[in-house]
Amino acid sequence: MQKQFALTVQQLSAKPSRRIINQVLKDDNSPLASFVGQDRAREALDFGLGIEAKGYNLYVMGEQATGRFTLVKDYISRHVAKRKTPDDWCYINNFDEEREPFLLRLAPGESKHLNKDVSSLLDEILDTFPAAFDNPGYQRRKAAISREFDRRYQTAIDQVEKIAQSKKVALYEDNGAISFSPIVKGEPITDAEFAKLSDDQRQHFYSLINDLETHLAEALIELPQWKRQSSEKLRQLKQETVEQGIRPLLKELEHKYAGDLGVLKFLRQLKPHLIDTVVEELAQDSKDDKQEDYDKRTLLEETYLPNVLVAHELAAGAPVVYEPNPTHQNLFGRIEYSNLSGAVFTNYRMIRPGALHRANGGYLLLDMDKVIQQPYVWESLKLVLKSSELKMDLPQHDVGMVNSIMLSPQQMPVNVKVVLLGSRELYYSLQDYDEEFYELFRVLVDFDHEIPLTNDHLRDFVSRIKGHIQQVGLPPIEPKAMYRLVEYSLRLAEHQQSLSARFADVLELLNEAMFFASQQFSQELKLQHLEQALEAKTRRSGRVSQALLDDIKQGQILITTEGVAVGKVNGLTVLEVGDSVFGTPARISSTVYAGANGVVDIEREVELGQSIHSKGVMLLNGYLGYKYAQEFPLTLSANIALEQSYGHIDGDSASLGELVALISALTGVPVSQSLAITGSINQYGQVQSVGGVNEKIEGFFKVCQHRGLNGEQGVVIPKSNQINLMLDKEVISAVKEGKFHIYAVDTVDEALTLLMGKDAGELNVKGRYPKGSINYLAVKRLYQISTIVNGADEE
């Protein structure tokens, strides 16, 4: 009876083509694949990267380690060659309003040339001035201006002096100070002699001196104007001298950049301001002071040197920028500040680019899970994509820099293709809660977590491994080891016809195997090294699974692997602790008695059973009513429990085992304890597939192996799970020797027949089950309970 449900050895794992593996390993001329599978994602990338319309940015959806980043980078690198290199960008000083720097757009590679040319201009200015003011022509004109001022001044003084002498008063001039002294007997007198004069004489001279001072004030009333005129003439002289020195330097630059209107406008705006700066800062007497020269150089650079924001090489192609830490400043740029005399200061030279600046004209890759965690970033990014302009509007007021000087740089036109890499959950959440999301990210690149095991994909897989080995300089791999890697990928996918898209996990195993190969000084990666790596990995993360197995071995956890029992079934569970996933058996027990409480899930009653598990138990009522209670009301009280379970339980994979335990308790027919069972059911008795089937089988196998395989032990799984089998070699070997068995069932009746060793029974034309069959006994017992309970109610 059991043989018809038993799976053959060939059905327990996949058999990938060794011929293709050997062929790819031997062929040194074939191009190495950069990626495996993901045809749907490739098509979406081709479309998203090729279309230039606004709003067609990409959201790359899939699990981590599935090669999303690798494929996107590979495809973008192909499109880069088709797109021209974007322009360079510089910020230059706005001489009219320094808080609003201008943006200068240049051809690729020109920004560095302009920066170098302006730097050379400043060097030549420092070499020219103030030395140019020592020119004899300049000195003559400067002396003439001074003489003209002195002439006017002296003429006015001479006129006052003549009046004074006519009134017997002498005029004195000492260090620009003018004073008067009376003349007595042809000689000016001293203060002591003046004091000896009579009051009338002194009063007479006081009156004369007051009149002379009035004449002096009237004569020199235009002195400030003479000084202003002299200073203005001297300033004009300096400006003319500076302009004569600067004009040929600027003419040379204007001629060089004659075809760039932006640079010409910059040079013309720079000229008058530069002349004024040289006049004010460099028109001093030359000094041999290195510190002063450094300060002057710094002043000129901070005022005139362009701030190169983004520079490209002419043949570089479109930029591809990945920002691993998308903070607001890293993405949109920042404005730095320095401390000047205790105050915070900034200028256009302190503007620093962000990832969006560097990616302008190309592609920007971002981890959406990180973007959404950063304050202001997501809203600011959407604003940039909608307006196609990047404004450095930093949220500094929100971080405490309220009193600092703020710049408002000119906005930069943006043409960038943004590629977000994120999870499925986040994608659907954004679609539900952000109305602008689909408007800006119209292209979904959906990565499968499995890759069909076609010949082409197998070639690409082996070629990708081969390429990784060559890239990191590892020793070659033997065909058997490569075959084992393919098996490992199939096991990760839990599918005989699909490779796992988590290629990073395969590379992780490969790298760990290389460690064991190097320990043995092997010049080739062999199968034994992979097996050692797998064993070591299992041991490193296997403390919890080993502890559970030890508890079963010591009898702490009650699991029976031989004999029969009523109302008890060996169920199978999967536990995931960190990166360790393992299966372990768990006893399912059930009791049935007369009553009307229905099927009670003890796990649910104590709030240990999660929603999906509770749903699976509640389906049992539907199955019992459909199967057995068509002619009388379904009335019973039954309890079901997963014994020695002290944590939360979820999933419906135990529902088949729970039903078998329930029917065993109901009918009194014992269940074989040599078998363990997993599977979910629907209300019509069909057995449905479950997850973790390989780990479940191997978990029960280890328990049986410890106690000794007797040839009767095995596991019952849903038939639809057969394609998911990628069992360990040890399990396959035991099945091959007839010491262990894997059974697959389609219906509950098949599972009952298998575990109870008795025919479940099918309805005959009269709508009755055969006498003595499991279903017959179940109907009979349910009818008895219904009669007892309903009879008691009537009484």
Side-chain angles (χ1 to χ4, degrees), residues 315-533:
V320 181
V321 178
Y322 170 66
E323 178 51 62
N325 183 27
T327 63
H328 196 282
Q329 291 189 348
N330 288 349
L331 202 55
F332 302 98
R334 66 184 187 277
I335 300 175
E336 295 179 345
Y337 294 83
S338 63
N339 192 302
L340 184 65
S341 302
V344 178
F345 168 78
T346 187
N347 67 6
Y348 79 102
R349 295 275 300 165
M350 297 185 184
I351 300 173
R352 299 291 177 261
L356 268 168
H357 295 95
R358 298 193 302 274
N360 195 11
Y363 306 89
L364 176 62
L365 281 67
L366 298 171
D367 290 315
M368 187 55 188
D369 297 87
K370 296 179 181 178
V371 168
I372 209 71
Q373 295 174 0
Q374 298 291 339
Y376 313 108
V377 169
W378 176 236
E379 293 300 325
S380 298
L381 179 61
K382 290 192 296 180
L383 183 61
V384 170
L385 294 178
K386 284 191 294 184
S387 64
S388 297
E389 288 185 332
L390 174 54
K391 182 180 181 181
M392 299 185 71
D393 188 13
L394 305 181
Q396 279 141 324
H397 286 275
D398 298 311
V399 293
M401 296 186 67
V402 178
N403 297 321
S404 60
I405 298 175
M406 295 290 293
L407 294 183
S408 181
Q410 185 179 353
Q411 297 183 22
M412 174 186 287
V414 172
N415 177 24
V416 63
K417 182 81 73 173
V418 178
V419 181
L420 299 179
L421 296 92
S423 63
R424 299 177 186 278
E425 294 78 8
L426 184 54
Y427 175 79
Y428 295 124
S429 296
L430 288 169
Q431 276 203 326
D432 290 340
Y433 299 109
D434 193 331
E435 296 179 355
E436 298 172 322
F437 176 69
Y438 182 73
E439 176 187 345
L440 299 173
F441 292 88
R442 298 179 184 273
V443 182
L444 172 64
V445 183
D446 193 356
F447 273 70
D448 293 326
H449 59 276
E450 294 178 356
I451 302 167
L453 184 61
T454 63
N455 290 341
D456 289 339
H457 291 164
L458 180 58
R459 288 190 184 91
D460 289 344
F461 180 91
V462 177
S463 177
R464 179 74 177 85
I465 295 289
K466 186 179 175 182
H468 174 77
I469 290 174
Q470 293 179 2
Q471 182 180 0
V472 299
L474 299 176
I477 183 171
E478 70 171 4
K480 289 182 180 179
M482 181 63 78
Y483 187 86
R484 185 68 182 90
L485 282 176
V486 176
E487 287 186 326
Y488 180 70
S489 181
L490 293 169
R491 171 62 183 262
L492 289 176
E494 290 190 291
H495 205 286
Q496 295 179 3
Q497 299 175 7
S498 296
L499 295 164
S500 171
R502 295 181 61 85
F503 197 76
D505 292 342
V506 179
L507 296 182
E508 178 186 338
L509 175 61
L510 179 66
N511 294 331
E512 292 174 6
M514 288 300 178
F515 168 77
F516 291 98
S518 64
Q519 293 289 306
Q520 301 171 19
F521 304 101
S522 176
Q523 299 300 314
E524 186 179 36
L525 180 66
K526 298 182 178 180
L527 176 61
Q528 67 186 57
H529 303 139
L530 285 172
E531 298 295 354
Q532 288 174 327

Side-chain angles (χ1 to χ4, degrees), residues 587-591 593 597-621 636-643 645 647-652 654-655 658-659 662:
R587 174 177 287 178
I588 301 171
S589 63
S590 177
T591 58
Y593 51 93
N597 295 328
V599 179
V600 177
D601 178 14
I602 294 178
E603 312 298 333
R604 180 169 179 263
E605 294 298 315
V606 297
E607 298 183 353
L608 287 179
Q610 301 297 299
S611 56
I612 298 179
H613 176 264
S614 299
K615 173 189 174 184
V617 175
M618 294 173 72
L619 285 173
L620 302 185
N621 271 323
L636 85 160
S637 290
N639 290 334
I640 295 177
L642 203 64
E643 293 184 356
S645 171
H648 291 290
I649 301 170
D650 203 4
D652 60 352
S655 57
E658 290 167 339
L659 180 59
L662 176 61

Side-chain angles (χ1 to χ4, degrees), residues 189-218:
I189 62 175
T190 63
D191 290 342
E193 293 173 338
F194 182 76
K196 295 178 181 179
L197 297 177
S198 64
D199 291 341
D200 292 339
Q201 288 178 317
R202 289 200 302 272
Q203 189 61 39
H204 172 69
F205 282 117
Y206 281 141
S207 177
L208 289 177
I209 290 172
N210 285 336
D211 291 340
L212 289 173
E213 286 180 346
T214 301
H215 283 295
L216 178 64
E218 291 175 353

